[in-house]
Amino acid sequence: MKRYLPLILVAYFIGCLLLILVLARQWQDTGQAPEQPIAFSHPIHAGNLGLECTYCHQTVARSPQATVPPVSLCMECHKNAAIDRPEVQKLRGFWERQEPIHWQRVYQLPWHAVFNHKRHIKAGVDCSFCHGELKAQARVRQVRSLMMGWCVSCHRSRNAPTDCWTCHK
Amino acid sequence: MQRREFLKLMGIVSGGAVLSSCGEDPHKKLISHVVPREGEVPGMAALYPSTCTECGAGCGIWVRVRERNPFKLEGMPGHPINDGALCIRGQASLSRLLHPDRITAPRRRTNTGDYQDVSWEQAMADVEQALSESGGRQVYLAGRTTGSLAALIDEFCRTRSFDRAPEVERFNHEAIRFAGDALFGRKSVPQYHLAEADVLVSLGADLLETFVSPVNFARQFAAALEKEQRWYHLEPHFSLTGNRASRRLVIRPDSEPYLLAWLLRAVPARRDLPAAVAAAVPAVTAEAAARQTGLPVTVIEELRDALRASSNPLLLAGGVALAGNNGRLTAVLAALLQWSLDMVGRTVDYERHENYETVGGAADFAGLVDALSDKQIGVLLISRLYHLDHVPSLRDALCGARFRVGLTDFMYPPYDGCDVILPLSHSLESWDDVEPRHGVISLIKPVFRPLHDTLSEGDILLQMMNNGLNYRTYLARRWGTIGRELLDQGWVIRDTEETTPTLQAGAPPPVITIQEPPADKTLVVVPSLRTFDGRSRVLTLLHEIPDPIATITYGNWVTLSVADADTLGITDGQELDIRTSGAGLRLPVKTHPQLAAGRVMVHTDQLDGLALPRDASSGEPLGILPIDSWQATGTRIDVPILSGSFTGAVGRGILPHDKPHHGPAHGGDDHATEHPPATLYPPKEYSRYRWALAIDLDRCIGCSACVAACYIENNVAIVGPDEHRIGREMAWLRIEPHLSRDGRMFFIPVMCQHCENAPCEAVCPVYATYHGSEGLNQQVYNRCVGTRYCANNCPYKVRRFNWFDHEWPSPLNLMLNPDVSVRPKGVMEKCTFCIQRIRQGKDHAKDQGRQVKDGEFTTACAQSCPTGAITFGNLLDRSSRIYALAQSPRAYRLLEGIGTEPAVYYLSKKRENA
Amino acid sequence: MSSLKGTFDQLERDVLAAMAKPKKSFWLALAVSSLMFAVGMGCWGWQIYKGLGVAGITNPVGWGVYITDFVFWVGIAHSGTLISAVLFLFRAKFRNSFNRTAEAMTIFAVMTAGLFPLIHLGRCWLFYWLFPYPNQRLLWVNFRSPLVWDVFAVSTYFTVSLIFWYVGMVPDLAIVRRYTTGVKQWIFRIFSLGWRGTRYQWEHYGKLYMFLAALATPLVISVHSVVSWDFAMSVVPGWHTTIFAPYFVAGAIFSGTAMVITLVVPMRRIFNLETYITVSHFESLAKILLFTSMIVTYSYIVEYVLAFYSGHEFEIAHFLYRSFGDYKYLYWLMLLCNSLLPLTIFVKKLRRNLTYLFILSLFVNVGMWLERFVIIVSSLAKDYDPYAWGTYTPTLIEAGITLGSFGMFFTFFLLFTKYLPVLSITEIKEISE
């Protein structure tokens, strides 16, 4: 018993470490790229076609909430463009049925936080700062932790308000 | 063991596992529009114009809508009726739209007496079948209807051969209309221009609570304050209106004719009364008037002198003053005085009268009652009735109709036994208009499509008229040229063809003898501020907010004077048995220090089925009843009375001019006060904004509209009577009635004072509450662990703890303000000065690169206040209203001696003879 | 320390006899206290599930039975440390016969007390936010808050007391090790840390013991002062007074001494330790009881005098309420138990009568619990604004959790009596030389 004790201890330690790492990874939740109802490709639209973010996401600079573009905006191009692609056909299906698309939300803040998108855009924060380079993301995934400390440290460095009620509602 | 071995073992303890959050799907949905709505910005509220329909006053409202859900009603500034304010019932009416107990689909009564949901086609087919088979008369019986719907009902009745019965309204102001008809040939309720009068004498009418158009009167009262109007209010009981008047005179119930008769002779007439009329007025001496009314001779002479010296007086009688046996006579004498002192056409306006023409008095239903009892009615269609207890003959005769169709949103008592129920859409789901006053048309515009399978009354009638129109088109056609203005502005004022009436020569008042007022104890039946005539009882929020006079939330009660309670040996909560006119009433008691002895107040909707005796001439139910006997039953009923005491605040630094304060309470700090508070801390510095609130106690009437507005704006939970009994109400803002040393009743709204030296901030262990850079005491809900030390340390006790998780049963959850958290259990909450509005206001101003302007936005409570008693603003803005108010010599702050340095200033004028 | 029956061996055997195979009555007592503990835990679980609303606390009385229990248990803990540490520094030899029990009582009382700040939290699963640890939120705790001081005070107290108790116990564990076999011996071997009783070890032991005693001594004053500042640092009338720190410390020692008597009188009889714990020991304890009772009475008088002398209307109103308001029966009962009954200790015959002392100590425990209850509840029930007045009625959940706290304490204590030496064998030997 006595002889094996150090071995047992070491094994236990390593086990605990692994457990922590695994759980921590799951807990952090960054990096998850959920499957979307339509496999919209940012590399094609933002990358190859060179569309500006605000071409589609039109309300980000005038609304506290960022939104996905309405189906009608997609149809402006896809009335005729790439109609042979299966994903575009899915899109056209939504339009024909006049059905809104239920996208899986990637960037989600908890109930107690209020985030004013418009203010951040007007302050000159680039989209990629929080959302990463969308041109390189086949599927949109969360690239920042969105944890409070991350927000606060940026606010502190840019002299943005750090009053609790700026963000807590 | 060796030390080494020991250390190895200690390592075992150090392994720890991190528990991940329980496996909730972290990804919620983000739903796109199909086609975006024009002009709508996501995340910003859209404003829809409409009109409140909770009572018939017709106040214009803006409906705040987010993501297609209305979450707040606000008064429409500039509207001719309410000019931006909204009363307690108006605020709560949003919950009527989303009430879980609303009727959601048409219903058909089965043979067993139960109701079964059916489709509209089926229901309408049943109605048509009944109409074709009816073989009798067809009658349309509705509540008070104005505007286009009234015109449509007329058309419908013509087309489908319905007789239109007089409209049913509990508060039908029959006596006023009788007097108007008898003297001026105008059977209408005139519009009263309170604000223009320099002397106002009101008898009985609860102008600021339920009388005709309370928000409008409150607004006028506020305007009149600037002009130093002398307002005499005479009442036998105690009301918020009487409390607010410059002089409240307690008069013996039903004795008003003596005073009015004397005044008619004592005050020199400015317009002649015909000799026959003047002679018919009973001759009453000053002493007799004083003796009968219970007022001192000096007081009635003061009234006479005030009227005599006035340039533009207004005298009116209504409500309780017309509820006794002398009701009609009082109304007639008041109308004569109005004529005599040249008020008709000036402060008493028959041209733009209130629309009550089609409302029937009790006597007007006699024909219908007979027809029903004789089974002459084949189909009876009833719409928007709430109760018929005031016309019991009609109530009991309803079942005489062979087939009854009921149009309603809730199963009110008159609908029991209806064969088909057609559910009505709420005004927020319909197109319509109302004309509460002649010439004032107010728009009703829907916020969304009906939540349930309901239709508006207009659409139902048009369907039955088979003309293929929908009500929207009908309205557009009827509006014609005014339609554009109506849709843009929300209201329109149209010219009227009516003229000022003259006294009909040779029209002697039909009733000339003054009946003896009740000698001893009387039961006074008064309207309820919270439920009007009882129609708003279905709204739970109105029960959650205490009645400001009795401070009781849920339940029924009677109000008794302190002297009578002593005589009876009864205390608050104990049951009193009252016998009057052969019938009885048993209710728990609540004492009130301002109620005179010998009067017992009970609300119209709390009579618990007590059949009221009728006035001999009009048939209206009497509201002044002599009490034959009363006694305590000994039972104790656990009524949820707001804790506290009317008199307990004396000497505590809560009432104005009650304690010596250390110098005037100045805000803004541009000059030193006489005795600045001693402190070791450096003064706080504010750079751009310093938010503060000022509450004018001389304007606050205690109507609690602010409380209702706060509840709805901030998702404050309704906890119910059981929790109320132990004091767990969640109200962020409460109205505290206090009796001062000199006998004045103050209604003090108390909310978080946002103290500069807040006792709550120092003691929170986790920094969930702290002082913001703009003077607000900020509570961070997510950080709160619930130690409740902050609530203990708050001397104002304005912090509310969430003892349980609260539910908003569907569809009430649609009413939740998305900009305000819904707090989970274990978290402390309190007034935030509507931080969500401050945030939005600053955001908007920043978009335009400027500071917030004074009055650009305000808190929910300030916005709703009918008298404008609450002012919110930035103290650093020297031109703002709040700054001026904070510098006023009338200003003080609550409990200043503790040194909390609150940001809420209360204003009250010191009385000279106090 | 006079008549010692026989040799040191006899002493050891007597003490260790208590750790022999337990009788049925022990199991019964343990079962009862464990059941009480389980009931308490069940009630707490229900409270977490439903919310704090299942308790009777409300507006304005936001603190009730839980905080009363907290202060009560922390108070009890102090007496143990007084006996162990302070009396040690004063070289009061009479302490040696019951200091182990007293110190054990301290440990278990602090553990029990430490649960209550968690129990009374609205969101107790976030209790760790009360500790200042570096976090991603870049947030610290509010060091100005007395509740954070509590966190430091109670955790320090627990840590120091535990170490002190354990260190003092090491030689005794070595003694027990000698008398046990098998698994039990293995455990005692580990926990006695290889104690051999060499001179080197004794020297270090003595020094460490003294340092720890010196460390624990100021804690007796400071910890309960900090706990009292939970109240004194507020603006609530009846709480906001500077006398609270010494008043509470005296009260703590008072209630703790009473609890020592409550525990040791029966324990002495059950384990036949009459030789080692004599009536004179109890007389000394009784004198401490009387002395602290008089300090507490003095504090009561001072509170009232200052309130009326100050002319502060809220303080005056409060004290009138306390004596004649909704909780007046509790108040007068408290005065009876705390101020009047202990005066009987002046009578020598009474203070040498163990049964009488035992009954008196029960009254004192009740009285001191009531004192905290009356202070907390009556101050909150009626303070500044009349519309914020209200009363408080505890519910069954709170009663259940209080019962559970006693269950927890007695469970631990019973286990202690069975598995650890109840007397400090080493120290008794010391003074008998």
Side-chain angles (χ1 to χ4, degrees), chain B residues 336-355:
Chain B
L336 281 174
L337 259 172
Q338 287 169 355
W339 177 260
S340 155
L341 293 179
D342 196 25
M343 298 177 207
V344 177
R346 296 164 77 212
T347 50
V348 177
D349 185 353
Y350 276 95
E351 291 175 46
R352 294 187 172 278
H353 56 88
E354 312 282 353
N355 266 335

Side-chain angles (χ1 to χ4, degrees), chain C residues 224-299:
Chain C
H224 219 69
S225 298
V226 167
V227 170
S228 78
W229 290 336
D230 280 349
F231 310 109
M233 293 291 164
S234 69
V235 298
V236 181
W239 283 9
H240 183 65
T241 165
T242 47
I243 199 166
F244 260 45
Y247 168 26
F248 267 53
V249 173
I253 298 168
F254 181 43
S255 67
T257 311
M259 185 59 96
V260 170
I261 296 174
T262 308
L263 290 173
V264 176
V265 165
M267 189 185 78
R268 171 182 179 266
R269 172 78 73 83
I270 293 170
F271 297 133
N272 303 312
L273 299 168
E274 288 87 343
T275 344
Y276 310 105
I277 308 174
T278 64
V279 175
S280 303
H281 289 134
F282 282 106
E283 190 178 352
S284 308
L285 278 179
K287 285 181 189 167
I288 296 177
L289 201 70
L290 174 63
F291 180 57
T292 47
S293 160
M294 293 201 296
I295 299 178
V296 168
T297 307
Y298 170 73
S299 306

Side-chain angles (χ1 to χ4, degrees), chain C residues 312-326:
Chain C
H312 192 243
E313 67 269 79
F314 298 113
E315 291 287 331
I316 294 172
H318 166 71
F319 280 96
L320 287 174
Y321 177 70
R322 198 189 272 196
S323 335
F324 304 113
D326 297 308

Side-chain angles (χ1 to χ4, degrees), chain B residues 643-644 651-652 659 726-728 736-737 761 763-765 782 784-789 792-793 797 803-804 825, chain C residues 48 52-53 55 57-59 62-63 120-123 129-130 142 145 230 234-236 313 383-387 389:
Chain B
S643 74
R652 286 184 168 233
K659 264 170 69 82
I726 37 179
R728 290 185 181 165
E736 297 185 356
E761 288 164 8
V763 296
C764 174
N782 194 47
C784 177
V785 287
T787 57
R788 303 178 303 289
Y789 199 166
N792 290 342
N793 218 18
K797 287 288 182 287
W803 302 100
F804 295 107
K825 65 175 186 270
Chain C
I48 295 177
L52 265 174
I57 33 187
T58 174
N59 305 311
W63 284 350
H120 102 292
L121 281 185
R123 299 204 293 169
W129 283 354
L130 281 144
N142 181 6
S145 168
D230 280 349
S234 69
V235 298
V236 181
E313 67 269 79
D383 62 359
Y384 294 94
D385 186 335
Y387 282 92
W389 291 345

Side-chain angles (χ1 to χ4, degrees), chain B residues 105-107 116-125 422 453:
Chain B
R107 290 184 183 179
Q116 175 187 50
D117 283 359
V118 295
S119 68
W120 275 99
E121 288 77 30
Q122 243 176 306
M124 294 301 253
L422 300 178
D453 193 10

